[in-house]
Amino acid sequence: MTKYFAKQVGFYQPKNSLQEAISGLFRGYDQVLIDDLEAYRLRIDKAVQECNEKYPRCKPCRVDLWKFTNTIHTISVKTGTGMSEFTLICVNIYKVLHYLETPVFKELVKIDVFVGSACSGKTRKAREMYEGKEVVWIDGRKAKFGDMPFLLNEVTFSTECIIIDDVPNKLLPMVAIRFFVEKLTINRKGHAPIRVPRPKILIICSEDVSHLPPLPSSFLSHFNFVTFPQEGGENHAE
């Protein structure tokens, strides 16, 4: 079953009541998993048209959908034409490869997420857990998952865990969506790509749980959260 993940990537300050209304309704279309891309577009188009009708004195907005790559589509809300065209909102729709809607698969791909403030022992705990195992560490602040094709080039068939450390909380959905798969495609410099079974994934967030973005239930079912208090407290699994 093909799934898509919607992420708002562009937003501009509304200039009138119509644009404010459209900006508000888009909160319900951001960071969600999608079964039917066309149905998702039609829902947005209908909502925008209803806003146009509610504010007839404002210049109307329209919805555009275009294919950026084989795995990424873009939906944008625009107003005006020609030189006066203005893009209010831009949403990228990412195809989630090899997504299977089964309980066994959901448990298989569950991702551990450590959350806690600085100096709460998250990274130390991760090192203790995977001491002596084959682990690939990734710097979550420097990694650009969409622009770095060789980011996982150290991953092999024997890799037991990928740990992405110091991920800004707001980027958790964007980092995690890459790993909702059974197998990873590993691009290797100077060699042909390989596909390996996805190892265990651990994401270490840089802030405490209060700074996590709102996450839909479709996302929460894929995470095992462990919260870390300040040094000296006890951590809690959720």
Side-chain angles (χ1 to χ4, degrees):
M1 177 186 297
T2 300
K3 290 273 190 175
Y4 299 88
F5 173 65
K7 171 63 178 173
Q8 185 172 309
V9 294
F11 171 79
Y12 298 91
Q13 188 65 32
K15 297 180 178 180
N16 55 42
S17 298
L18 169 61
Q19 294 177 14
E20 287 181 359
I22 292 174
S23 297
L25 71 86
F26 255 81
R27 296 188 185 97
Y29 296 101
D30 186 29
Q31 299 192 91
V32 295
L33 284 172
I34 303 165
D35 294 315
D36 188 327
L37 179 59
E38 180 61 14
Y40 176 80
R41 185 195 66 79
L42 289 174
R43 287 199 303 271
I44 292 177
D45 189 65
K46 180 181 179 181
V48 169
Q49 292 305 319
E50 289 175 351
C51 288
N52 284 336
E53 294 171 4
K54 185 176 180 180
Y55 300 96
R57 298 182 63 182
C58 298
K59 186 177 294 185
C61 293
R62 65 183 185 280
V63 177
D64 287 343
L65 170 66
W66 59 285
K67 190 174 183 180
F68 185 65
T69 69
N70 287 333
T71 57
I72 302 176
H73 294 71
T74 296
I75 288 180
S76 56
V77 178
K78 299 180 179 180
T79 185
T81 58
M83 296 295 292
S84 64
E85 184 178 83
F86 172 75
T87 299
L88 176 64
I89 295 171
C90 187
V91 176
N92 275 355
I93 313 295
Y94 302 91
K95 185 178 181 181
V96 182
L97 302 177
H98 315 297
Y99 186 98
L100 298 177
E101 190 68 42
T102 65
V104 173
F105 179 71
K106 280 188 174 182
E107 190 61 36
L108 171 69
V109 301
K110 272 199 170 184
I111 293 173
D112 291 333
V113 181
F114 287 2
V115 290
S117 57
C119 300
S120 58
K122 306 185 297 291
T123 301
R124 184 178 68 249
K125 181 63 176 179
R127 293 188 184 279
E128 292 173 355
M129 288 174 58
Y130 290 97
E131 183 178 3
K133 299 183 181 296
E134 293 200 29
V135 178
V136 172
W137 286 80
I138 296 174
D139 188 333
R141 287 198 174 274
K142 296 180 180 178
K144 296 181 180 179
F145 283 86
D147 301 325
M148 300 174 70
F150 300 106
L151 183 65
L152 300 177
N153 70 310
E154 294 183 8
V155 175
T156 68
F157 286 96
S158 60
T159 299
E160 298 175 75
C161 184
I162 299 172
I163 299 178
I164 307 99
D165 193 14
D166 210 18
V167 174
N169 287 28
K170 65 180 180 181
L171 297 183
L172 173 60
M174 288 297 292
V175 173
I177 194 69
R178 182 186 181 108
F179 299 105
F180 287 178
V181 296
E182 286 183 290
K183 293 188 176 182
L184 293 174
T185 298
I186 308 301
N187 295 311
R188 303 179 299 165
K189 295 181 180 179
H191 299 278
I194 59 173
R195 284 178 56 76
V196 304
R198 202 215 71 177
K200 191 72 175 176
I201 304 296
L202 169 58
I203 298 175
I204 304 175
C205 291
S206 60
E207 302 165 281
D208 63 40
V209 68
S210 66
H211 291 90
L212 283 173
L215 295 170
S217 58
S218 57
F219 253 85
L220 290 174
S221 64
H222 291 288
F223 295 135
N224 291 318
F225 283 100
V226 179
T227 59
F228 284 73
Q230 289 292 338
E231 291 285 351
E234 296 182 357
N235 56 298
H236 301 278
E238 299 179 9

